[in-house]
Amino acid sequence: MNVVCHIRYELDPFQLAKFEQYAKAWLILIPACGGRLIGYFVPHEGTNYEAHAMIGFDTLAAYENYRACLRNDPKSVENFQFAQREKFILLEERRFLRQVA
């Protein structure tokens, strides 16, 4: 794993259960499209509106292939539509990291 996509979410804190449902659906969908899911993380204490996800890839090209797979997978599209319809994700940021140690 040479590249990690870190996704930071700002959520509606009154809809955390819906985000958890959304995240759990990716447990199967992400690996099926070539990503290595490190995990989804939701608030436990402290800030109640921020969540994170980390997904590993060998290269940025592998990430692009993964994104194309998600766009063409009916269950992935359904999960994206669920998030849009329910509006529990207010903001989403992506960063690409490399492991130092």
Side-chain angles (χ1 to χ4, degrees), residues 68-86:
C69 178
L70 292 181
R71 284 191 296 272
N72 293 308
D73 179 73
K75 291 192 182 284
S76 296
V77 171
E78 181 181 317
N79 206 33
F80 283 127
Q81 289 173 343
F82 167 62
Q84 290 175 338
R85 183 177 61 250
E86 298 298 323

Side-chain angles (χ1 to χ4, degrees), residues 51-63:
H52 300 268
M54 297 183 85
I55 308 163
F57 301 93
D58 290 330
T59 63
L60 284 175
Y63 169 77

Side-chain angles (χ1 to χ4, degrees), residues 5 11-13 17 20 23 25 27 32-33 39 52 55-56 58 64 75 80 82 89 94-95 99:
C5 176
L11 307 174
D12 177 341
E20 288 189 35
L27 294 174
C33 282
H52 300 268
I55 308 163
D58 290 330
E64 293 300 330
K75 291 192 182 284
F80 283 127
F82 167 62
I89 298 173
R94 289 176 193 274
R95 290 181 174 82
Q99 187 172 356

Side-chain angles (χ1 to χ4, degrees), residues 9 11-13 16 19-20 40-52:
Y9 299 94
L11 307 174
D12 177 341
L16 291 180
F19 180 79
E20 288 189 35
Y40 272 83
F41 306 88
V42 296
H44 179 66
E45 288 188 33
T47 303
N48 68 349
Y49 66 88
E50 189 173 275
H52 300 268

Side-chain angles (χ1 to χ4, degrees), residues 9-24:
Y9 299 94
E10 287 189 12
L11 307 174
D12 177 341
F14 299 103
Q15 297 194 66
L16 291 180
K18 288 182 182 175
F19 180 79
E20 288 189 35
Q21 178 183 343
Y22 170 82
K24 287 177 182 176

